[in-house]
Amino acid sequence: MLASSARLFWQIAGLISLVLGVIGIFLPLLPTTPFVLLSAYCFSRGSQKLHDWLLAHPRLGPPILEWRDHGAISKKAKWMAAIALILAFVIAWLGGAPKEALMLQVAVLLGVAIFIFTRPSPPADEL
């Protein structure tokens, strides 16, 4: 009973993460890749069938495999992330966020950008 409850937990967590990742494709403030990676992790513990489906998905699978196999982020994903980071700041700024909040946001977004741009590109990107 306990094992099946744990599997159900991982499946639900994976589905929630996947839904958030898909929503993040359309909303610049919600990151897609971390949620899809989390979904793959959850599915690997809760459902081999869902895990295999996600890895085989033509759009969502390749970034997961690049991260798993090389710790890599594609150049396209890096630049899309940079655009999303800039958009997030601009929206907060235009929305009238307090100066302190904007400064904190800059620090966090800069940390995220440094992390993203210091990851290697997958071997296929380096050709």
Side-chain angles (χ1 to χ4, degrees):
M1 176 70 178
L2 187 58
S4 64
S5 295
R7 287 176 42 85
L8 181 62
F9 166 80
W10 287 114
Q11 290 171 9
I12 291 170
L15 289 171
I16 290 169
S17 296
L18 184 59
V19 167
L20 289 172
V22 170
I23 291 170
I25 293 170
F26 306 102
L27 294 177
L29 300 178
L30 193 63
T32 298
T33 304
F35 283 116
V36 173
L37 290 172
L38 178 60
S39 182
Y41 175 82
C42 293
F43 287 156
S44 73
R45 278 144 182 73
S47 169
Q48 190 61 45
K49 183 178 177 181
L50 288 171
H51 184 255
D52 292 345
W53 169 81
L54 187 57
L55 293 182
H57 191 278
R59 295 291 248 175
L60 302 175
I64 297 167
L65 295 171
E66 289 167 355
W67 182 258
R68 183 190 72 187
D69 297 342
H70 306 287
I73 301 172
S74 73
K75 289 179 185 176
K76 179 181 176 184
K78 289 177 185 180
W79 288 107
M80 294 298 288
I83 291 167
L85 295 172
I86 292 166
L87 257 172
F89 177 78
V90 169
I91 290 169
W93 178 56
L94 292 176
K99 183 174 111 176
E100 295 81 12
L102 291 173
M103 290 174 24
L104 178 61
Q105 186 180 24
V106 165
V108 170
L109 295 176
L110 187 58
V112 170
I114 289 169
F115 175 80
I116 290 170
F117 280 92
T118 57
R119 299 307 99 198
S121 295
D125 270 8
E126 295 172 359
L127 297 178

